Coordinates of all heavy atoms in Angstrom, one line a residue:
M573 N 214.0 -4.4 25.2 CA 213.6 -5.2 24.1 C 214.1 -4.6 22.8 O 214.5 -5.3 21.8 CB 212.1 -5.4 24.0 CG 211.6 -6.5 23.1 SD 212.2 -8.1 23.4 CE 211.5 -8.6 25.0
A574 N 214.2 -3.3 22.7 CA 214.7 -2.6 21.5 C 216.1 -3.0 21.2 O 216.5 -3.2 20.1 CB 214.5 -1.1 21.6
E575 N 216.9 -3.1 22.3 CA 218.3 -3.5 22.1 C 218.4 -4.9 21.6 O 219.3 -5.2 20.8 CB 219.1 -3.3 23.4 CG 220.6 -3.6 23.3 CD 221.3 -3.3 24.6 OE1 220.7 -2.6 25.5 OE2 222.4 -3.8 24.8
L576 N 217.6 -5.8 22.1 CA 217.6 -7.2 21.7 C 217.2 -7.3 20.2 O 217.8 -8.0 19.5 CB 216.6 -8.0 22.6 CG 216.5 -9.5 22.3 CD1 217.9 -10.2 22.4 CD2 215.6 -10.1 23.3
L577 N 216.2 -6.6 19.8 CA 215.7 -6.5 18.5 C 216.8 -6.1 17.5 O 217.1 -6.6 16.5 CB 214.5 -5.7 18.3 CG 213.9 -5.5 16.9 CD1 213.5 -6.9 16.3 CD2 212.7 -4.6 16.9
A578 N 217.5 -5.0 17.9 CA 218.6 -4.5 17.1 C 219.7 -5.5 17.0 O 220.4 -5.7 15.9 CB 219.2 -3.2 17.7
T579 N 220.0 -6.3 18.1 CA 221.0 -7.3 18.1 C 220.6 -8.4 17.1 O 221.5 -8.9 16.3 CB 221.2 -7.9 19.5 OG1 221.6 -6.8 20.3 CG2 222.3 -9.0 19.5
V580 N 219.4 -8.9 17.1 CA 218.9 -9.9 16.2 C 219.0 -9.5 14.8 O 219.5 -10.2 13.9 CB 217.5 -10.4 16.6 CG1 216.9 -11.2 15.5 CG2 217.4 -11.1 17.9
R581 N 218.6 -8.2 14.5 CA 218.6 -7.7 13.1 C 220.1 -7.6 12.6 O 220.3 -7.7 11.4 CB 218.0 -6.3 13.1 CG 216.5 -6.4 13.1 CD 215.9 -5.0 12.9 NE 214.5 -5.1 12.8 CZ 213.6 -4.2 13.2 NH1 214.0 -3.1 13.9 NH2 212.3 -4.4 13.0
S582 N 221.0 -7.4 13.5 CA 222.4 -7.3 13.0 C 223.1 -8.7 13.0 O 224.3 -8.8 12.6 CB 223.2 -6.4 14.0 OG 223.4 -7.0 15.2
Y583 N 222.4 -9.8 13.3 CA 223.0 -11.1 13.3 C 223.3 -11.6 11.9 O 222.5 -11.6 11.0 CB 222.0 -12.1 13.9 CG 222.4 -13.5 13.9 CD1 223.3 -14.0 14.8 CD2 221.9 -14.4 13.0 CE1 223.7 -15.3 14.8 CE2 222.2 -15.7 13.0 CZ 223.2 -16.2 13.8 OH 223.6 -17.5 13.8
P584 N 224.6 -11.9 11.7 CA 225.0 -12.4 10.3 C 224.7 -13.9 10.2 O 225.3 -14.7 10.8 CB 226.5 -12.1 10.3 CG 226.9 -12.2 11.7 CD 225.7 -11.8 12.5
P585 N 223.7 -14.3 9.3 CA 223.5 -15.7 9.1 C 224.7 -16.4 8.7 O 225.6 -15.9 8.0 CB 222.4 -15.7 7.9 CG 221.8 -14.3 8.1 CD 222.9 -13.4 8.5
G586 N 224.8 -17.7 9.1 CA 225.9 -18.5 8.7 C 226.8 -19.1 9.9 O 227.9 -19.6 9.6
Q587 N 226.3 -19.0 11.1 CA 227.0 -19.5 12.2 C 227.4 -20.9 12.0 O 226.6 -21.8 11.9 CB 226.3 -19.3 13.5 CG 226.9 -19.9 14.7 CD 226.1 -19.7 16.0 OE1 225.1 -18.9 16.0 NE2 226.4 -20.4 17.0
A588 N 228.7 -21.2 11.9 CA 229.3 -22.5 11.7 C 228.6 -23.3 10.5 O 228.4 -24.5 10.5 CB 229.1 -23.4 13.0
N589 N 228.1 -22.5 9.5 CA 227.5 -23.0 8.3 C 226.2 -23.8 8.7 O 225.8 -24.7 8.0 CB 228.4 -23.9 7.5 CG 229.5 -23.1 6.8 OD1 229.2 -22.0 6.4 ND2 230.7 -23.6 6.8
V590 N 225.5 -23.4 9.8 CA 224.3 -24.1 10.2 C 223.1 -23.3 9.7 O 222.2 -23.9 9.2 CB 224.3 -24.3 11.7 CG1 223.0 -24.8 12.2 CG2 225.4 -25.2 12.2
D591 N 223.0 -22.1 9.9 CA 221.8 -21.3 9.7 C 221.9 -20.3 8.6 O 221.3 -19.2 8.7 CB 221.4 -20.6 11.0 CG 222.4 -19.6 11.5 OD1 223.5 -19.5 10.8 OD2 222.2 -18.9 12.5
K592 N 222.5 -20.7 7.5 CA 222.7 -19.7 6.4 C 221.3 -19.5 5.7 O 221.3 -18.7 4.8 CB 223.7 -20.3 5.4 CG 225.1 -20.1 5.8 CD 226.1 -20.4 4.7 CE 227.5 -20.0 5.1 NZ 228.4 -20.4 4.0
G593 N 220.3 -20.1 6.1 CA 218.9 -19.8 5.6 C 218.4 -18.5 6.1 O 217.4 -18.0 5.6
G594 N 219.1 -17.9 7.1 CA 218.7 -16.6 7.6 C 217.6 -16.7 8.6 O 217.4 -17.8 9.3
F595 N 216.9 -15.6 8.8 CA 215.9 -15.5 9.9 C 214.8 -14.6 9.5 O 215.0 -13.7 8.6 CB 216.5 -15.1 11.2 CG 217.1 -13.8 11.2 CD1 216.4 -12.7 11.5 CD2 218.5 -13.6 10.9 CE1 217.0 -11.4 11.5 CE2 219.1 -12.3 10.9 CZ 218.3 -11.2 11.2
S596 N 213.7 -14.7 10.1 CA 212.6 -13.8 9.9 C 212.1 -13.4 11.2 O 211.8 -14.2 12.1 CB 211.4 -14.5 9.2 OG 211.8 -15.0 7.9
I597 N 211.9 -12.1 11.4 CA 211.3 -11.5 12.6 C 209.8 -11.5 12.4 O 209.3 -10.9 11.5 CB 211.8 -10.1 12.9 CG1 213.3 -10.2 13.1 CG2 211.1 -9.5 14.1 CD1 214.0 -8.8 13.2
I598 N 209.1 -12.4 13.1 CA 207.7 -12.6 13.0 C 206.9 -11.5 13.7 O 205.9 -10.9 13.2 CB 207.2 -14.0 13.4 CG1 208.1 -15.0 12.6 CG2 205.7 -14.2 13.2 CD1 208.0 -14.9 11.1
T599 N 207.2 -11.4 15.0 CA 206.5 -10.4 15.9 C 207.5 -9.7 16.7 O 208.4 -10.3 17.3 CB 205.5 -11.2 16.8 OG1 204.6 -12.0 16.0 CG2 204.7 -10.2 17.7
A600 N 207.3 -8.4 16.8 CA 208.2 -7.5 17.6 C 207.4 -6.5 18.3 O 206.7 -5.7 17.6 CB 209.3 -6.9 16.8
S601 N 207.4 -6.4 19.6 CA 206.7 -5.4 20.4 C 207.6 -4.9 21.5 O 208.8 -5.4 21.6 CB 205.4 -5.9 20.9 OG 205.6 -6.9 21.9
T602 N 207.1 -4.1 22.4 CA 207.9 -3.6 23.5 C 208.3 -4.6 24.5 O 209.2 -4.5 25.3 CB 207.2 -2.4 24.2 OG1 206.0 -2.9 24.7 CG2 207.1 -1.2 23.3
D603 N 207.5 -5.8 24.6 CA 207.7 -6.8 25.6 C 207.8 -8.2 25.0 O 207.9 -9.2 25.8 CB 206.7 -6.7 26.7 CG 205.3 -6.9 26.2 OD1 205.1 -7.0 25.0 OD2 204.4 -7.0 27.0
Y604 N 207.8 -8.3 23.7 CA 207.8 -9.7 23.1 C 208.5 -9.7 21.7 O 208.3 -8.7 20.9 CB 206.4 -10.2 22.9 CG 206.3 -11.5 22.3 CD1 206.6 -12.7 23.0 CD2 205.9 -11.7 21.0 CE1 206.4 -14.0 22.4 CE2 205.7 -12.9 20.4 CZ 206.0 -14.1 21.1 OH 205.9 -15.3 20.5
L605 N 209.3 -10.7 21.4 CA 210.0 -10.8 20.2 C 209.9 -12.3 19.7 O 210.3 -13.2 20.5 CB 211.4 -10.4 20.3 CG 212.3 -10.5 19.0 CD1 211.8 -9.7 17.9 CD2 213.8 -10.1 19.4
Y606 N 209.5 -12.6 18.5 CA 209.4 -13.9 18.0 C 210.1 -13.9 16.7 O 209.8 -13.2 15.8 CB 207.9 -14.3 17.8 CG 207.7 -15.6 17.0 CD1 208.6 -16.7 17.1 CD2 206.6 -15.8 16.2 CE1 208.3 -17.9 16.5 CE2 206.3 -16.9 15.5 CZ 207.2 -18.0 15.6 OH 207.0 -19.1 14.9
V607 N 211.2 -14.8 16.6 CA 212.0 -14.9 15.4 C 212.1 -16.4 15.0 O 212.1 -17.3 15.8 CB 213.5 -14.4 15.8 CG1 214.3 -14.4 14.5 CG2 213.4 -13.0 16.4
Q608 N 212.1 -16.6 13.7 CA 212.3 -17.9 13.1 C 213.6 -17.9 12.4 O 213.9 -17.1 11.5 CB 211.2 -18.3 12.1 CG 209.8 -18.4 12.7 CD 208.8 -18.6 11.7 OE1 208.9 -18.5 10.5 NE2 207.6 -19.0 12.2
F609 N 214.5 -18.9 12.8 CA 215.8 -19.1 12.1 C 215.7 -20.4 11.3 O 215.0 -21.3 11.6 CB 216.9 -19.3 13.2 CG 217.2 -18.1 14.0 CD1 216.5 -17.8 15.1 CD2 218.2 -17.3 13.6 CE1 216.8 -16.6 15.8 CE2 218.6 -16.1 14.3 CZ 217.9 -15.8 15.4
E610 N 216.3 -20.3 10.1 CA 216.2 -21.4 9.1 C 217.5 -21.9 8.7 O 218.5 -21.2 8.4 CB 215.4 -20.9 7.9 CG 215.2 -22.0 6.9 CD 214.4 -21.6 5.6 OE1 214.0 -20.4 5.6 OE2 214.3 -22.4 4.7
S611 N 217.7 -23.3 8.7 CA 218.9 -23.9 8.3 C 219.0 -23.8 6.7 O 218.0 -23.8 6.1 CB 219.1 -25.3 8.7 OG 218.1 -26.1 8.1
L612 N 220.2 -23.8 6.2 CA 220.4 -23.6 4.8 C 220.0 -24.9 4.0 O 219.2 -24.9 3.1 CB 221.8 -23.2 4.4 CG 222.1 -23.1 3.0 CD1 221.3 -22.0 2.3 CD2 223.6 -22.8 2.8
K613 N 220.7 -26.0 4.4 CA 220.6 -27.2 3.6 C 219.2 -27.9 3.6 O 218.7 -28.4 2.6 CB 221.7 -28.2 4.0 CG 223.1 -27.6 3.6 CD 224.1 -28.6 4.0 CE 225.5 -28.0 3.6 NZ 226.6 -28.8 3.9
K614 N 218.7 -28.0 4.8 CA 217.4 -28.8 4.9 C 216.2 -27.9 5.2 O 215.1 -28.4 5.1 CB 217.6 -29.8 6.1 CG 218.8 -30.7 5.9 CD 218.4 -32.1 6.2 CE 219.7 -32.9 6.0 NZ 219.4 -34.3 5.8
G615 N 216.4 -26.6 5.4 CA 215.3 -25.7 5.6 C 214.5 -25.9 6.9 O 213.4 -25.5 7.0
Y616 N 215.2 -26.5 7.9 CA 214.5 -26.6 9.2 C 214.3 -25.3 9.8 O 215.2 -24.4 9.7 CB 215.4 -27.5 10.1 CG 215.5 -28.9 9.7 CD1 216.7 -29.6 9.8 CD2 214.5 -29.6 9.1 CE1 216.9 -30.9 9.4 CE2 214.6 -31.0 8.7 CZ 215.9 -31.6 8.9 OH 216.0 -32.9 8.5
I617 N 213.2 -25.1 10.5 CA 212.9 -23.9 11.2 C 213.0 -24.1 12.7 O 212.5 -25.1 13.3 CB 211.4 -23.4 10.9 CG1 211.2 -23.3 9.4 CG2 211.1 -22.2 11.7 CD1 211.9 -22.1 8.8
D618 N 213.7 -23.1 13.4 CA 213.8 -23.1 14.8 C 213.0 -21.8 15.3 O 213.3 -20.7 14.7 CB 215.2 -23.0 15.3 CG 216.0 -24.3 15.0 OD1 215.4 -25.4 15.0 OD2 217.2 -24.3 14.9
D619 N 212.1 -22.0 16.2 CA 211.4 -20.9 16.7 C 212.1 -20.4 18.0 O 212.4 -21.1 18.9 CB 210.0 -21.3 17.1 CG 209.2 -21.8 15.9 OD1 209.0 -20.9 15.0 OD2 208.8 -23.0 15.8
V620 N 212.3 -19.0 18.1 CA 212.9 -18.4 19.3 C 212.0 -17.3 19.7 O 211.6 -16.4 18.9 CB 214.3 -17.9 19.0 CG1 215.0 -17.4 20.2 CG2 215.2 -19.0 18.4
E621 N 211.7 -17.3 21.0 CA 210.8 -16.3 21.6 C 211.5 -15.6 22.8 O 212.1 -16.3 23.6 CB 209.5 -16.9 22.0 CG 208.6 -17.4 20.9 CD 207.4 -18.1 21.4 OE1 207.5 -19.2 21.9 OE2 206.3 -17.4 21.4
F622 N 211.4 -14.3 22.9 CA 211.9 -13.5 24.0 C 210.7 -12.8 24.5 O 209.9 -12.2 23.8 CB 212.9 -12.5 23.5 CG 214.1 -13.2 22.8 CD1 214.1 -13.3 21.4 CD2 215.2 -13.6 23.5 CE1 215.1 -13.9 20.7 CE2 216.3 -14.1 22.8 CZ 216.2 -14.3 21.4
A623 N 210.5 -12.8 25.9 CA 209.4 -12.0 26.5 C 209.9 -11.4 27.8 O 210.7 -12.1 28.5 CB 208.3 -13.0 26.8
V624 N 209.5 -10.2 28.1 CA 209.8 -9.6 29.4 C 208.8 -10.2 30.4 O 207.6 -10.1 30.2 CB 209.6 -8.1 29.2 CG1 209.9 -7.4 30.6 CG2 210.6 -7.5 28.2
G625 N 209.4 -10.8 31.4 CA 208.6 -11.4 32.5 C 208.1 -10.4 33.5 O 208.5 -9.2 33.4
R626 N 207.3 -10.8 34.4 CA 206.8 -10.0 35.5 C 207.9 -9.3 36.3 O 207.8 -8.2 36.8 CB 205.9 -10.7 36.4 CG 204.6 -11.1 35.8 CD 203.7 -11.8 36.8 NE 203.1 -12.9 36.1 CZ 202.7 -14.0 36.7 NH1 202.7 -14.1 38.0 NH2 202.1 -14.9 35.9
N627 N 209.1 -10.0 36.4 CA 210.2 -9.4 37.2 C 211.0 -8.5 36.4 O 212.0 -8.0 36.9 CB 211.0 -10.6 37.8 CG 211.5 -11.5 36.7 OD1 211.4 -11.2 35.5 ND2 212.1 -12.6 37.0
G628 N 210.7 -8.3 35.1 CA 211.5 -7.3 34.3 C 212.6 -8.0 33.6 O 213.2 -7.4 32.7
L629 N 212.9 -9.3 33.8 CA 213.9 -10.0 33.1 C 213.4 -10.6 31.8 O 212.2 -10.9 31.7 CB 214.5 -11.1 34.0 CG 215.1 -10.7 35.3 CD1 215.5 -11.9 36.1 CD2 216.3 -9.8 35.1
V630 N 214.3 -10.8 30.9 CA 213.9 -11.4 29.6 C 213.9 -12.9 29.7 O 214.9 -13.5 30.1 CB 214.8 -10.9 28.4 CG1 214.5 -11.6 27.1 CG2 214.7 -9.3 28.3
E631 N 212.8 -13.5 29.3 CA 212.7 -14.9 29.3 C 212.9 -15.4 27.9 O 212.4 -14.7 27.0 CB 211.4 -15.4 29.9 CG 211.2 -14.9 31.3 CD 209.8 -15.2 31.8 OE1 208.9 -15.7 31.1 OE2 209.5 -14.9 33.0
V632 N 213.5 -16.6 27.7 CA 213.8 -17.1 26.3 C 213.2 -18.5 26.2 O 213.4 -19.3 27.1 CB 215.3 -17.1 26.1 CG1 215.6 -17.6 24.7 CG2 215.9 -15.7 26.2
R633 N 212.6 -18.7 25.0 CA 212.2 -20.1 24.7 C 212.7 -20.4 23.3 O 212.5 -19.5 22.4 CB 210.7 -20.2 24.7 CG 210.2 -21.7 24.4 CD 208.8 -21.8 24.1 NE 208.4 -21.4 22.8 CZ 208.6 -22.2 21.7 NH1 209.2 -23.3 21.8 NH2 208.2 -21.7 20.5
S634 N 213.3 -21.5 23.1 CA 213.8 -21.9 21.8 C 213.4 -23.3 21.5 O 213.5 -24.2 22.4 CB 215.3 -21.8 21.7 OG 215.8 -22.2 20.5
G635 N 212.8 -23.6 20.3 CA 212.4 -24.9 20.0 C 212.6 -25.2 18.5 O 212.4 -24.4 17.7
S636 N 213.0 -26.4 18.2 CA 213.1 -26.9 16.9 C 211.8 -27.5 16.4 O 211.2 -28.3 17.2 CB 214.2 -27.9 16.8 OG 214.3 -28.5 15.5
R637 N 211.4 -27.3 15.2 CA 210.1 -27.9 14.7 C 210.4 -29.4 14.3 O 209.4 -30.1 14.2 CB 209.6 -27.2 13.5 CG 209.2 -25.8 13.9 CD 208.5 -25.1 12.7 NE 208.2 -23.7 13.0 CZ 207.7 -22.9 12.2 NH1 207.4 -23.3 11.0 NH2 207.4 -21.7 12.5
V638 N 211.6 -29.7 14.0 CA 212.0 -31.1 13.6 C 213.1 -31.6 14.5 O 214.0 -30.8 14.8 CB 212.4 -31.1 12.1 CG1 212.8 -32.5 11.7 CG2 211.3 -30.6 11.3
G639 N 213.1 -32.8 14.9 CA 214.2 -33.3 15.6 C 213.8 -33.6 17.1 O 212.7 -33.6 17.4
R640 N 214.8 -33.7 17.9 CA 214.6 -34.0 19.3 C 215.2 -32.9 20.2 O 216.0 -32.2 19.8 CB 215.3 -35.3 19.6 CG 214.8 -36.5 18.8 CD 215.6 -37.7 19.1 NE 215.2 -38.6 18.1 CZ 215.7 -39.8 18.0 NH1 216.7 -40.2 18.8 NH2 215.4 -40.6 17.0

């Protein structure tokens, strides 16, 4: 999880001019990471969660607060 957190922290906002609003790390622990990414123009928030599952693999959930 530490490597994943370091990767997120080094992420340069601006992928295809979509998410220049940047991101906020909301929760970070040894087995869970919750990040909010924000679009620049409309300010939409996307929630992304990473969790270490029982099998030791990282599970990912991503969801937009607006849209389909």
Side-chain angles (χ1 to χ4, degrees):
M573 195 58 69
E575 185 177 343
L576 180 57
L577 178 60
T579 300
V580 169
R581 283 187 172 143
S582 69
Y583 175 76
Q587 178 180 342
N589 291 322
V590 172
D591 62 356
K592 283 190 175 178
F595 62 90
S596 298
I597 297 169
I598 305 302
T599 305
S601 68
T602 58
D603 60 353
Y604 179 76
L605 177 61
Y606 170 35
V607 184
Q608 294 176 345
F609 289 88
E610 182 177 357
S611 67
L612 175 64
K613 294 183 180 178
K614 303 221 180 201
Y616 296 141
I617 302 288
D618 291 330
D619 298 296
V620 182
E621 296 176 277
F622 304 90
V624 177
R626 287 184 225 157
N627 57 7
L629 299 176
V630 175
E631 300 173 356
V632 179
R633 184 194 78 78
S634 176
S636 176
R637 293 185 186 179
V638 177
R640 300 175 192 179

